[in-house]
Amino acid sequence: MKKAIKEIIECALDKAKDAGELELADAPDIVVEKPKDEKMGDFACNIAMTLARSERKNPKVIAQIIERHVEKGTAGLDSVEIAGPGFLNLKMSRKFFLDRLADAVEQRNDFGKSNVGQGTKIMIEFVSANPTGPLHIGHGRGAAVGDALARILKKAGYDLKTEYYVNDVGNQMNILGRSTWLRYLELMGNDADFPEDHYRGEYIKDIAQLAIDQLGKKFFDKPEDECVPFFKELAKDNILEGIKKDLSNFRVTFDNWFSEQSLYENNSVEGAIEWLRNEGHVYDKDGAVWLKSSAFDDDKDRVIVKKTGEKTYFCSDIAYHQNKIKRGFKKLINLMGADHHGYVPRMEAVLQAMGYDKNIFKILLIQFVSLLRGGEKVAMSTRSGEFETLSDVVNEVGVDAARYYFLMRSSDAHLDFDLELAKQETSENPVFYIQYAHARICSIFRGAEEKGIQFPGNGSIDLSLLVEEEEFSIIKAILAFPEVVEKSALALEVHRISHYLLDLVSRFHGYYSRHRVISDDVPLTLARLYLLDGLRITIRNGFDLMGISVPEKM
């Protein structure tokens, strides 16, 4: 929609230049916005102020020049007014908006698509929870944000792949295997000491029982070094299977599951270290191997190989991100917990050391979630087992409510998840409020059918019968949807969609309470049904980006 306004301004600028009234040495950046006060017009442009310095003229004078060369009546333009220091306020004809509403309805599921991404190949890695326990509520927020962001970026024309990085190497996995082995012994009657830093959840006992059911006493009398590797693999596979099931139930799927272990098996980790050493980016100190990350804006150098010879997680992450780039991805987006804020500069440092632009890499930090139950916070700790799993929350409030609440706030802001509010079927619950609007619209269409009103859904409907200000308020809100999707993609901000939908349906609920859609005036009824068809298409497409269902009955 704003593209048409930009073209009007561009045409006026060209005419002003041809007339010798403006120099326009450089192509100006035309920014079109919606005025805060709708009475000022439908669109506003500050081009006169941005040109003031280069043109060496007062912005108001430039605005007057542009205004003279704007062709009224073309492209649906009704009037142009100059406001303040030089703003151009443009008011469009009603036909301008009605024609674009018809375009939106015709696009159906494709409404909101754009090519702003221009096919850029992007990788989003998210969740990537260690396979040491079930997914908790914090993982759920990352899953919802990552999946919604992937949907938005695809809608905006990016060539996107999603990936889950499985951290199946390191001491945490050994502790997982040892925890399971000790529970196995305990269940077999041998009460061995269970260290405080081991995994204590009931799920560990369940996996240990699985080993007993399958193998009996096979590992009861064997030494620890023979038992732990088996129990590590058993626990990892069992937990990973549960994670995949929980994510699938949460409507989250991945294009690829990438094993950290594979980087060691194909010598990618050793190869990355060797390359960095040959380029002079690593050195030995105190028996350890260090990356010179401070040379690339990190606050200090980082250990990549401990004095014990054990590789750090950062070491394998170097090889992993190099692997992503070699796969042809032009942009790497990682979603990580807020406690990983120190990861950003060190990863940017290693990418620069490898000769890549650090801007290829973007980390979105997902802030913590506080789960409230009866006003009390629920304690969460994976090793102690005192945590609320994602599956428990989904079972209690449903997938739709859980996803909406995870997506309703900016991901870099702390989130209080109110379980009781999420279950309410009232206007206080935003996901219910939006879903109810869609269901009500579907009910209106069913009511029209029962009265014998046939809705053709094509250009035969006279949309000029839509004359109410509230109707055009809804139309303008509908037509803003593609821009909301585009801005969400460019800013990597998924919460914009939920805010937009809430505002959209609030306009509908207000309109519906004051105006009859179905009446004896059949042409007017059809025009209003057409408007509601555009509305439900937009709600459905918006909720599809959020991974939320749109029921036709409630």
Side-chain angles (χ1 to χ4, degrees):
M1 193 161 58
K2 289 182 178 178
K3 182 180 179 182
I5 311 304
K6 287 184 179 181
E7 290 173 353
I8 291 172
I9 302 296
E10 285 173 353
C11 183
L13 289 172
D14 288 341
K15 289 182 178 179
K17 183 177 181 180
D18 292 341
E21 296 179 70
L22 294 176
E23 295 179 8
L24 300 178
D26 298 312
D29 183 19
I30 301 173
V31 178
V32 176
E33 297 292 345
K34 181 180 177 182
K36 292 181 180 179
D37 184 356
E38 291 186 5
K39 295 179 181 177
M40 300 298 291
D42 298 309
F43 301 99
C45 181
N46 68 347
I47 185 64
M49 284 168 280
T50 61
L51 287 174
R53 175 172 290 186
S54 61
E55 295 292 330
R56 300 178 298 283
K57 288 182 173 67
N58 185 292
K60 204 155 191 173
V61 172
I62 296 174
Q64 290 169 346
I65 293 171
I66 297 172
E67 191 272 339
R68 283 199 304 271
H69 289 285
V70 168
E71 291 187 25
K72 284 48 164 207
T74 61
L77 179 63
D78 193 39
S79 65
V80 182
E81 293 182 357
I82 300 171
F87 282 102
L88 290 168
N89 289 336
L90 300 92
K91 188 171 182 59
M92 312 306 292
S93 68
R94 288 186 167 179
K95 186 177 184 301
F96 173 86
F97 293 108
L98 293 175
D99 287 346
R100 279 153 183 79
L101 173 64
D103 290 340
V105 171
E106 186 176 337
Q107 290 176 56
R108 312 301 295 181
N109 293 345
D110 286 337
F111 180 53
K113 272 190 175 182
S114 76
N115 193 35
V116 67
Q118 298 182 332
T120 303
K121 195 172 181 182
I122 292 182
M123 157 75 74
I124 299 185
E125 180 214 326
F126 60 104
V127 185
S128 295
N130 297 332
T132 54
L135 297 178
H136 58 60
I137 196 78
H139 297 136
R141 189 181 193 188
V145 172
D147 183 64
L149 182 58
R151 293 167 184 250
I152 290 168
L153 289 170
K154 287 177 182 178
K155 192 86 168 179
Y158 289 88
D159 179 5
L160 182 134
K161 297 295 182 183
T162 58
E163 191 156 280
Y164 188 115
Y165 182 52
V166 183
N167 297 114
D168 48 5
V169 175
N171 191 49
Q172 63 176 2
M173 297 305 297
N174 293 329
I175 292 176
L176 174 67
R178 195 167 190 276
S179 300
T180 311
W181 170 61
L182 291 174
R183 289 304 189 202
Y184 166 85
L185 294 178
E186 181 183 290
L187 291 172
M188 295 289 287
N190 183 354
D191 291 332
D193 291 336
F194 201 92
E196 285 292 327
D197 65 346
H198 281 36
Y199 296 99
R200 294 172 167 269
E202 285 297 313
Y203 65 95
I204 297 294
K205 290 184 179 179
D206 293 340
I207 298 170
Q209 184 60 55
L210 182 65
I212 293 173
D213 295 342
Q214 293 179 352
L215 303 167
K217 294 185 176 182
K218 180 177 179 179
F219 290 97
F220 186 70
D221 295 321
K222 289 189 176 181
E224 179 176 333
D225 60 352
E226 291 185 30
C227 297
V228 169
F230 168 80
F231 282 94
K232 178 177 71 174
E233 288 301 310
L234 176 68
K236 181 199 74 174
D237 292 344
N238 185 275
I239 292 171
L240 201 55
E241 182 180 344
I243 287 173
K244 289 181 178 181
K245 180 180 178 182
D246 287 347
L247 288 171
S248 177
N249 291 339
F250 199 47
R251 303 181 192 139
V252 176
T253 57
F254 288 88
D255 294 314
N256 191 38
W257 294 72
F258 192 101
S259 166
E260 179 183 0
Q261 180 65 42
S262 68
L263 295 169
Y264 287 89
E265 292 173 351
N266 63 19
N267 294 319
S268 293
V269 175
E270 287 294 340
I273 296 172
E274 183 179 353
W275 188 92
L276 288 167
R277 186 180 292 280
N278 291 338
E279 295 296 317
H281 295 307
V282 300
Y283 62 92
D284 300 309
K285 179 184 175 182
D286 301 328
V289 180
W290 298 69
L291 174 71
K292 295 179 182 178
S293 50
S294 61
F296 299 95
D297 299 324
D298 196 2
D299 59 348
K300 61 182 180 181
D301 293 344
R302 306 287 177 173
V303 174
I304 57 175
V305 183
K306 299 177 184 179
K307 62 178 65 179
T308 60
E310 180 186 357
K311 310 287 194 307
T312 63
Y313 291 119
F314 179 48
C315 185
S316 51
D317 282 348
I318 293 171
Y320 176 44
H321 285 83
Q322 187 180 46
N323 175 280
K324 289 182 181 179
I325 295 171
K326 286 181 177 179
R327 280 186 271 162
F329 293 103
K330 303 302 181 184
K331 185 83 173 179
L332 311 179
I333 301 174
N334 288 14
L335 274 64
M336 308 184 82
D339 54 338
H340 289 77
H341 58 87
Y343 187 85
V344 181
R346 73 184 72 168
M347 203 64 236
E348 289 179 345
V350 76
L351 288 172
Q352 289 180 87
M354 289 183 163
Y356 303 116
D357 182 350
K358 70 175 183 180
N359 294 318
I360 194 176
F361 180 66
K362 176 69 176 178
I363 282 189
L364 297 182
L365 296 177
I366 310 299
Q367 280 291 344
F368 298 107
V369 179
S370 292
L371 191 64
L372 305 181
R373 188 182 295 280
E376 299 293 327
K377 287 187 177 181
V378 179
M380 291 183 283
S381 172
T382 307
R383 291 196 179 180
S384 68
E386 296 176 359
F387 62 90
E388 196 76 22
T389 66
L390 173 62
S391 61
D392 287 341
V393 173
V394 169
N395 289 337
E396 183 166 345
V397 305
V399 175
D400 291 335
R403 287 188 68 115
Y404 187 93
Y405 275 78
F406 286 139
L407 298 171
M408 67 187 289
R409 298 277 184 268
S410 173
S411 58
D412 62 2
H414 182 89
L415 177 67
D416 285 334
F417 192 118
D418 189 331
L419 287 167
E420 297 309 315
L421 178 59
K423 291 186 289 185
Q424 287 182 16
E425 294 186 353
T426 69
S427 60
E428 298 299 312
N429 182 359
V431 66
F432 176 83
Y433 187 65
I434 298 171
Q435 286 181 320
Y436 185 68
H438 184 271
R440 173 174 274 179
I441 292 170
C442 292
S443 175
I444 293 170
F445 273 85
R446 290 193 296 270
E449 286 183 17
E450 291 170 3
K451 290 182 178 295
I453 299 173
Q454 297 297 318
F455 178 68
N458 56 36
S460 64
I461 295 174
D462 184 4
L463 296 181
S464 68
L465 297 174
L466 298 174
V467 296
E468 300 290 343
E469 288 300 321
E470 288 171 290
E471 290 167 341
F472 277 87
S473 174
I474 293 173
I475 291 170
K476 291 174 185 178
I478 289 172
L479 297 179
F481 179 60
E483 183 183 1
V484 172
V485 176
E486 185 175 304
K487 286 187 173 181
S488 298
L490 294 173
L492 305 179
E493 293 179 346
V494 299
H495 67 281
R496 291 175 182 243
I497 305 296
S498 63
H499 291 186
Y500 165 79
L501 290 175
L502 198 58
D503 173 73
L504 179 67
V505 301
S506 68
R507 295 172 191 251
F508 162 71
H509 285 300
Y511 169 76
Y512 183 72
S513 68
R514 288 181 287 274
H515 300 278
R516 293 181 63 190
V517 175
I518 302 174
S519 67
D520 293 334
D521 187 339
V522 175
L524 177 59
T525 296
L526 290 174
R528 288 181 168 175
L529 285 173
Y530 196 93
L531 170 61
L532 296 194
D533 193 28
L535 185 58
R536 67 176 173 179
I537 288 169
T538 309
I539 295 172
R540 183 177 65 233
N541 290 0
F543 259 179
D544 181 64
L545 295 178
M546 296 177 72
I548 297 174
S549 68
V550 279
E552 296 187 0
K553 293 181 180 180
M554 291 183 72

